[in-house]
Amino acid sequence: MFIVNEMPEQISPDLVALLEQCEVATIGHVLHSGFVDREIRAVLPSKRVAGTAVTVRIPHADSTALHYLTKLVRPGDVVVIDRCGDDKHACWGGVITHAMKNAGVTAGVIDGPATDFSEIVKTDMPMWCRGPSPITTKILGTEGAINVPVSVGGQTIEPGDAVLCDESGVVVLKRATAEASAKIAIAMQEREIVLLERLRKGEKLPDISGATAFVEGKLAKA
């Protein structure tokens, strides 16, 4: 059986632009949850992208629903794929890469392997996955679900969530709180620029961070 729900409302271009100023690792200074398993890694580490989560759940060797999704996706979508625990079959290869790229999809995030990495590089398609696999899915027509809550990298992701991806990983944010988290992260990044300038001028990191005061204030006496 197949489930195909309506496409989610997209997050605003302003929120996308705000998120793309943030490093995922800086969000990691702000939040403790929302991060997918760090083994889901960037194929193109130089990319930092944000967009609207469009979800698809496909089981074992059947990628019928993913193929169907290629005619629904829109510019700005991030396709998030729940592989139901399958880590053997690559559901995303060269043809899917071109179909998604032609549709304007921002990125793919797969809780499983992909294939045809050279094609992903050549088309400059941002992709996060669990590495390569030569064994691919097929069009079996058994089952799949589009735009349902999915489990990817230990996180529950709903259609319409905001997704931010870069070299450090992938974080998923609720649209109601994404702007606030992004603004906090950007402020931290701006403070880091000031910190780096102080270091360049000769100050020592522990003196600035407060580590010196802690250590020297609690030194064990000989």
Side-chain angles (χ1 to χ4, degrees):
M1 187 176 76
F2 291 93
I3 298 171
V4 180
N5 290 324
E6 291 186 2
M7 297 295 280
E9 178 185 354
Q10 290 188 299
I11 64 174
S12 71
D14 288 345
L15 180 55
V16 170
L18 195 67
L19 287 169
E20 289 184 343
Q21 296 178 53
C22 304
E23 299 174 11
V24 172
T26 310
I27 298 287
H29 288 302
V30 179
L31 302 176
H32 297 286
S33 62
F35 301 90
V36 307
D37 186 349
R38 61 190 172 89
E39 293 301 321
I40 297 178
R41 299 182 180 183
V43 176
L44 304 175
S46 64
K47 297 293 183 183
R48 184 194 298 162
V49 296
T52 304
V54 168
T55 64
V56 57
R57 184 172 64 232
I58 51 177
H60 48 85
D62 188 357
S63 58
T64 307
L66 179 60
H67 276 238
Y68 188 80
L69 181 62
T70 62
K71 72 175 189 179
L72 304 178
V73 286
R74 309 152 299 183
D77 288 337
V78 175
V79 175
V80 179
I81 305 174
D82 180 350
R83 294 294 288 113
C84 305
D86 186 294
D87 63 357
K88 177 179 179 182
H89 299 92
C91 66
W92 186 305
V95 172
I96 291 291
T97 296
H98 281 276
M100 294 295 187
K101 187 77 175 182
N102 291 341
V105 164
T106 295
V109 177
I110 309 171
D111 195 350
T115 193
D116 296 336
F117 276 29
S118 61
E119 204 69 19
I120 292 171
V121 171
K122 188 167 73 177
T123 57
D124 200 35
M125 182 76 204
M127 162 64 60
W128 283 256
C129 66
R130 292 187 182 273
S133 173
I135 308 171
T136 64
T137 53
K138 314 292 188 295
I139 305 299
L140 302 178
T142 58
E143 61 178 307
I146 292 173
N147 288 323
V148 296
V150 295
S151 176
V152 169
Q155 292 296 324
T156 300
I157 303 175
E158 297 184 89
D161 283 348
V163 185
L164 172 64
C165 318
D166 71 7
E167 62 182 355
S168 294
V170 178
V171 63
V172 181
L173 304 163
K174 296 302 177 189
R175 63 173 62 216
T177 58
E179 180 176 341
S181 297
K183 287 181 175 177
I184 293 171
I186 291 168
M188 291 182 70
Q189 290 172 186
E190 291 172 346
R191 288 197 296 274
E192 184 174 296
I193 293 172
V194 175
L195 168 65
L196 295 177
E197 179 62 16
R198 292 174 66 180
L199 292 175
R200 192 188 67 78
K201 290 180 177 178
E203 291 188 68
K204 301 301 182 185
L205 179 59
D207 295 343
I208 300 171
S209 69
T212 295
F214 275 120
V215 173
E216 295 184 357
K218 297 181 180 180
L219 278 176
K221 296 182 179 179

